[in-house]
Amino acid sequence: MKKLLLSAIAITMLMSSCVNDKTKKKNKPKEPIESVNISISADDKMRFNKTELKVKEGHEVTLILIHTGKMLKDVMGHNFVLLKKGTDIADFASKALQAVDNGYIPQSKDIIANTKLIGGGESVTITFIAPAKGTYDFICSFPGHYGVMNGKFIVE
Ligand SMILES: [Cu+2]
């Protein structure tokens, strides 16, 4: 009788430890990074088709920039440059002017993500992780474009 009781206790303990194991596993799920696709286009009239892009913090963003125009990259090139908060855009754009050989992308710590420069009929895709919640500026850094080719990149 005593033996039976002991084994009953042992079984109960074994069972409860099994249950505990399951709960432990449930409590720490491995969260996969969610991904989102966004697109933005630019044309021969020096315009982006969107002035606001919205994503969620920490999501993996795949952004495609499409140049819907026909003009060559040297004349009407476009890119997408996402800037850190507090960046002096005019100052950044003047640095970009010097970076002709790098598609007007200057060496800068102010860049979160950027595409290369493209011409009419081309497109380019980049992938990056959305930064912390907040509102960021994006521009096209081709000479003279940022004044009209800019928008807000909102991370929620
Ligand atoms: Cu442009």
PDB file of all heavy atoms in Angstrom, residues 61-82:
ATOM      1  N   VAL A  61      11.582  45.692 -43.845  1.00  0.00           N
ATOM      2  CA  VAL A  61      10.942  46.429 -44.935  1.00  0.00           C
ATOM      3  C   VAL A  61      11.647  46.138 -46.259  1.00  0.00           C
ATOM      4  O   VAL A  61      12.857  46.284 -46.369  1.00  0.00           O
ATOM      5  CB  VAL A  61      11.016  47.957 -44.676  1.00  0.00           C
ATOM      6  CG1 VAL A  61      10.348  48.742 -45.804  1.00  0.00           C
ATOM      7  CG2 VAL A  61      10.387  48.307 -43.330  1.00  0.00           C
ATOM      8  N   THR A  62      10.863  45.701 -47.232  1.00  0.00           N
ATOM      9  CA  THR A  62      11.402  45.554 -48.580  1.00  0.00           C
ATOM     10  C   THR A  62      10.781  46.666 -49.401  1.00  0.00           C
ATOM     11  O   THR A  62       9.567  46.710 -49.586  1.00  0.00           O
ATOM     12  CB  THR A  62      11.069  44.170 -49.169  1.00  0.00           C
ATOM     13  OG1 THR A  62      11.699  43.187 -48.355  1.00  0.00           O
ATOM     14  CG2 THR A  62      11.592  44.039 -50.591  1.00  0.00           C
ATOM     15  N   LEU A  63      11.614  47.587 -49.822  1.00  0.00           N
ATOM     16  CA  LEU A  63      11.127  48.761 -50.542  1.00  0.00           C
ATOM     17  C   LEU A  63      11.584  48.705 -51.994  1.00  0.00           C
ATOM     18  O   LEU A  63      12.752  48.474 -52.276  1.00  0.00           O
ATOM     19  CB  LEU A  63      11.660  50.025 -49.862  1.00  0.00           C
ATOM     20  CG  LEU A  63      11.284  51.365 -50.515  1.00  0.00           C
ATOM     21  CD1 LEU A  63      10.998  52.403 -49.442  1.00  0.00           C
ATOM     22  CD2 LEU A  63      12.366  51.887 -51.455  1.00  0.00           C
ATOM     23  N   ILE A  64      10.620  48.916 -52.884  1.00  0.00           N
ATOM     24  CA  ILE A  64      10.971  48.983 -54.302  1.00  0.00           C
ATOM     25  C   ILE A  64      10.728  50.407 -54.797  1.00  0.00           C
ATOM     26  O   ILE A  64       9.682  50.995 -54.529  1.00  0.00           O
ATOM     27  CB  ILE A  64      10.227  47.915 -55.152  1.00  0.00           C
ATOM     28  CG1 ILE A  64      10.651  48.035 -56.633  1.00  0.00           C
ATOM     29  CG2 ILE A  64       8.709  48.017 -55.017  1.00  0.00           C
ATOM     30  CD1 ILE A  64      10.253  46.854 -57.483  1.00  0.00           C
ATOM     31  N   LEU A  65      11.758  50.949 -55.455  1.00  0.00           N
ATOM     32  CA  LEU A  65      11.655  52.272 -56.068  1.00  0.00           C
ATOM     33  C   LEU A  65      11.569  52.053 -57.575  1.00  0.00           C
ATOM     34  O   LEU A  65      12.421  51.381 -58.160  1.00  0.00           O
ATOM     35  CB  LEU A  65      12.883  53.118 -55.718  1.00  0.00           C
ATOM     36  CG  LEU A  65      13.037  54.439 -56.501  1.00  0.00           C
ATOM     37  CD1 LEU A  65      11.954  55.444 -56.118  1.00  0.00           C
ATOM     38  CD2 LEU A  65      14.422  55.048 -56.273  1.00  0.00           C
ATOM     39  N   ILE A  66      10.524  52.593 -58.172  1.00  0.00           N
ATOM     40  CA  ILE A  66      10.312  52.432 -59.614  1.00  0.00           C
ATOM     41  C   ILE A  66      10.375  53.799 -60.292  1.00  0.00           C
ATOM     42  O   ILE A  66       9.674  54.728 -59.874  1.00  0.00           O
ATOM     43  CB  ILE A  66       8.919  51.796 -59.896  1.00  0.00           C
ATOM     44  CG1 ILE A  66       8.769  50.480 -59.121  1.00  0.00           C
ATOM     45  CG2 ILE A  66       8.718  51.560 -61.395  1.00  0.00           C
ATOM     46  CD1 ILE A  66       7.327  50.051 -58.931  1.00  0.00           C
ATOM     47  N   HIS A  67      11.219  53.900 -61.289  1.00  0.00           N
ATOM     48  CA  HIS A  67      11.284  55.139 -62.081  1.00  0.00           C
ATOM     49  C   HIS A  67      10.373  54.930 -63.288  1.00  0.00           C
ATOM     50  O   HIS A  67      10.707  54.178 -64.202  1.00  0.00           O
ATOM     51  CB  HIS A  67      12.726  55.398 -62.506  1.00  0.00           C
ATOM     52  CG  HIS A  67      12.980  56.765 -63.076  1.00  0.00           C
ATOM     53  ND1 HIS A  67      12.086  57.406 -63.919  1.00  0.00           N
ATOM     54  CD2 HIS A  67      14.032  57.614 -62.927  1.00  0.00           C
ATOM     55  CE1 HIS A  67      12.589  58.593 -64.261  1.00  0.00           C
ATOM     56  NE2 HIS A  67      13.764  58.746 -63.665  1.00  0.00           N
ATOM     57  N   THR A  68       9.228  55.588 -63.268  1.00  0.00           N
ATOM     58  CA  THR A  68       8.233  55.371 -64.322  1.00  0.00           C
ATOM     59  C   THR A  68       8.481  56.247 -65.550  1.00  0.00           C
ATOM     60  O   THR A  68       7.737  56.174 -66.526  1.00  0.00           O
ATOM     61  CB  THR A  68       6.810  55.651 -63.795  1.00  0.00           C
ATOM     62  OG1 THR A  68       6.766  57.005 -63.312  1.00  0.00           O
ATOM     63  CG2 THR A  68       6.434  54.713 -62.667  1.00  0.00           C
ATOM     64  N   GLY A  69       9.518  57.087 -65.481  1.00  0.00           N
ATOM     65  CA  GLY A  69       9.794  57.981 -66.603  1.00  0.00           C
ATOM     66  C   GLY A  69      10.640  57.331 -67.685  1.00  0.00           C
ATOM     67  O   GLY A  69      10.839  56.110 -67.693  1.00  0.00           O
ATOM     68  N   LYS A  70      11.134  58.191 -68.582  1.00  0.00           N
ATOM     69  CA  LYS A  70      11.958  57.700 -69.691  1.00  0.00           C
ATOM     70  C   LYS A  70      13.329  58.358 -69.713  1.00  0.00           C
ATOM     71  O   LYS A  70      14.209  57.953 -70.466  1.00  0.00           O
ATOM     72  CB  LYS A  70      11.259  58.018 -71.018  1.00  0.00           C
ATOM     73  CG  LYS A  70       9.986  57.206 -71.234  1.00  0.00           C
ATOM     74  CD  LYS A  70       9.511  57.349 -72.673  1.00  0.00           C
ATOM     75  CE  LYS A  70       8.360  56.400 -72.966  1.00  0.00           C
ATOM     76  NZ  LYS A  70       7.118  57.063 -73.291  1.00  0.00           N
ATOM     77  N   MET A  71      13.484  59.407 -68.916  1.00  0.00           N
ATOM     78  CA  MET A  71      14.732  60.166 -68.970  1.00  0.00           C
ATOM     79  C   MET A  71      15.901  59.418 -68.337  1.00  0.00           C
ATOM     80  O   MET A  71      15.717  58.605 -67.441  1.00  0.00           O
ATOM     81  CB  MET A  71      14.525  61.534 -68.302  1.00  0.00           C
ATOM     82  CG  MET A  71      13.567  62.427 -69.110  1.00  0.00           C
ATOM     83  SD  MET A  71      13.038  63.905 -68.233  1.00  0.00           S
ATOM     84  CE  MET A  71      14.466  64.943 -68.465  1.00  0.00           C
ATOM     85  N   LEU A  72      17.076  59.753 -68.866  1.00  0.00           N
ATOM     86  CA  LEU A  72      18.286  59.080 -68.395  1.00  0.00           C
ATOM     87  C   LEU A  72      18.652  59.473 -66.964  1.00  0.00           C
ATOM     88  O   LEU A  72      18.301  60.556 -66.498  1.00  0.00           O
ATOM     89  CB  LEU A  72      19.460  59.403 -69.331  1.00  0.00           C
ATOM     90  CG  LEU A  72      19.353  58.847 -70.761  1.00  0.00           C
ATOM     91  CD1 LEU A  72      20.499  59.375 -71.612  1.00  0.00           C
ATOM     92  CD2 LEU A  72      19.350  57.321 -70.740  1.00  0.00           C
ATOM     93  N   LYS A  73      19.387  58.577 -66.368  1.00  0.00           N
ATOM     94  CA  LYS A  73      19.837  58.736 -64.976  1.00  0.00           C
ATOM     95  C   LYS A  73      20.656  60.025 -64.749  1.00  0.00           C
ATOM     96  O   LYS A  73      20.552  60.652 -63.704  1.00  0.00           O
ATOM     97  CB  LYS A  73      20.661  57.483 -64.669  1.00  0.00           C
ATOM     98  CG  LYS A  73      21.346  57.392 -63.387  1.00  0.00           C
ATOM     99  CD  LYS A  73      21.656  55.948 -63.066  1.00  0.00           C
ATOM    100  CE  LYS A  73      23.005  55.519 -63.611  1.00  0.00           C
ATOM    101  NZ  LYS A  73      23.434  54.225 -62.995  1.00  0.00           N
ATOM    102  N   ASP A  74      21.452  60.413 -65.779  1.00  0.00           N
ATOM    103  CA  ASP A  74      22.292  61.616 -65.640  1.00  0.00           C
ATOM    104  C   ASP A  74      21.467  62.898 -65.591  1.00  0.00           C
ATOM    105  O   ASP A  74      21.918  63.920 -65.073  1.00  0.00           O
ATOM    106  CB  ASP A  74      23.252  61.753 -66.841  1.00  0.00           C
ATOM    107  CG  ASP A  74      24.072  60.510 -67.045  1.00  0.00           C
ATOM    108  OD1 ASP A  74      24.120  59.686 -66.106  1.00  0.00           O
ATOM    109  OD2 ASP A  74      24.656  60.355 -68.128  1.00  0.00           O
ATOM    110  N   VAL A  75      20.285  62.843 -66.184  1.00  0.00           N
ATOM    111  CA  VAL A  75      19.445  64.034 -66.299  1.00  0.00           C
ATOM    112  C   VAL A  75      18.328  64.043 -65.249  1.00  0.00           C
ATOM    113  O   VAL A  75      18.038  65.077 -64.647  1.00  0.00           O
ATOM    114  CB  VAL A  75      18.775  64.091 -67.699  1.00  0.00           C
ATOM    115  CG1 VAL A  75      18.121  65.435 -67.928  1.00  0.00           C
ATOM    116  CG2 VAL A  75      19.766  63.757 -68.790  1.00  0.00           C
ATOM    117  N   MET A  76      17.688  62.891 -65.080  1.00  0.00           N
ATOM    118  CA  MET A  76      16.538  62.785 -64.175  1.00  0.00           C
ATOM    119  C   MET A  76      16.664  61.526 -63.320  1.00  0.00           C
ATOM    120  O   MET A  76      15.744  60.733 -63.212  1.00  0.00           O
ATOM    121  CB  MET A  76      15.249  62.767 -65.028  1.00  0.00           C
ATOM    122  CG  MET A  76      13.924  62.842 -64.297  1.00  0.00           C
ATOM    123  SD  MET A  76      13.710  64.180 -63.115  1.00  0.00           S
ATOM    124  CE  MET A  76      13.505  65.591 -64.199  1.00  0.00           C
ATOM    125  N   GLY A  77      17.849  61.379 -62.728  1.00  0.00           N
ATOM    126  CA  GLY A  77      18.060  60.213 -61.873  1.00  0.00           C
ATOM    127  C   GLY A  77      17.310  60.356 -60.557  1.00  0.00           C
ATOM    128  O   GLY A  77      17.078  61.474 -60.077  1.00  0.00           O
ATOM    129  N   HIS A  78      16.890  59.240 -59.997  1.00  0.00           N
ATOM    130  CA  HIS A  78      16.208  59.263 -58.701  1.00  0.00           C
ATOM    131  C   HIS A  78      16.770  58.173 -57.799  1.00  0.00           C
ATOM    132  O   HIS A  78      17.183  57.114 -58.262  1.00  0.00           O
ATOM    133  CB  HIS A  78      14.705  59.017 -58.861  1.00  0.00           C
ATOM    134  CG  HIS A  78      13.992  60.052 -59.666  1.00  0.00           C
ATOM    135  ND1 HIS A  78      14.100  61.406 -59.420  1.00  0.00           N
ATOM    136  CD2 HIS A  78      13.141  59.926 -60.722  1.00  0.00           C
ATOM    137  CE1 HIS A  78      13.344  62.069 -60.290  1.00  0.00           C
ATOM    138  NE2 HIS A  78      12.757  61.206 -61.093  1.00  0.00           N
ATOM    139  N   ASN A  79      16.730  58.456 -56.512  1.00  0.00           N
ATOM    140  CA  ASN A  79      17.053  57.434 -55.518  1.00  0.00           C
ATOM    141  C   ASN A  79      16.130  57.667 -54.324  1.00  0.00           C
ATOM    142  O   ASN A  79      15.331  58.612 -54.309  1.00  0.00           O
ATOM    143  CB  ASN A  79      18.541  57.470 -55.117  1.00  0.00           C
ATOM    144  CG  ASN A  79      18.975  58.802 -54.511  1.00  0.00           C
ATOM    145  OD1 ASN A  79      18.147  59.600 -54.058  1.00  0.00           O
ATOM    146  ND2 ASN A  79      20.268  59.046 -54.490  1.00  0.00           N
ATOM    147  N   PHE A  80      16.247  56.806 -53.355  1.00  0.00           N
ATOM    148  CA  PHE A  80      15.459  56.931 -52.128  1.00  0.00           C
ATOM    149  C   PHE A  80      16.455  56.882 -50.982  1.00  0.00           C
ATOM    150  O   PHE A  80      17.211  55.918 -50.845  1.00  0.00           O
ATOM    151  CB  PHE A  80      14.474  55.762 -52.021  1.00  0.00           C
ATOM    152  CG  PHE A  80      13.749  55.684 -50.694  1.00  0.00           C
ATOM    153  CD1 PHE A  80      12.504  56.289 -50.521  1.00  0.00           C
ATOM    154  CD2 PHE A  80      14.300  54.999 -49.611  1.00  0.00           C
ATOM    155  CE1 PHE A  80      11.837  56.215 -49.303  1.00  0.00           C
ATOM    156  CE2 PHE A  80      13.645  54.923 -48.382  1.00  0.00           C
ATOM    157  CZ  PHE A  80      12.402  55.533 -48.239  1.00  0.00           C
ATOM    158  N   VAL A  81      16.482  57.948 -50.194  1.00  0.00           N
ATOM    159  CA  VAL A  81      17.412  58.001 -49.054  1.00  0.00           C
ATOM    160  C   VAL A  81      16.605  58.276 -47.786  1.00  0.00           C
ATOM    161  O   VAL A  81      15.931  59.308 -47.671  1.00  0.00           O
ATOM    162  CB  VAL A  81      18.477  59.109 -49.251  1.00  0.00           C
ATOM    163  CG1 VAL A  81      19.494  59.067 -48.113  1.00  0.00           C
ATOM    164  CG2 VAL A  81      19.193  58.962 -50.592  1.00  0.00           C
ATOM    165  N   LEU A  82      16.692  57.341 -46.856  1.00  0.00           N
ATOM    166  CA  LEU A  82      16.006  57.506 -45.572  1.00  0.00           C
ATOM    167  C   LEU A  82      17.011  58.043 -44.556  1.00  0.00           C
ATOM    168  O   LEU A  82      18.086  57.469 -44.368  1.00  0.00           O
ATOM    169  CB  LEU A  82      15.451  56.150 -45.117  1.00  0.00           C
ATOM    170  CG  LEU A  82      14.684  56.117 -43.795  1.00  0.00           C
ATOM    171  CD1 LEU A  82      13.448  57.017 -43.843  1.00  0.00           C
ATOM    172  CD2 LEU A  82      14.277  54.687 -43.453  1.00  0.00           C
TER     173      LEU A  82
END
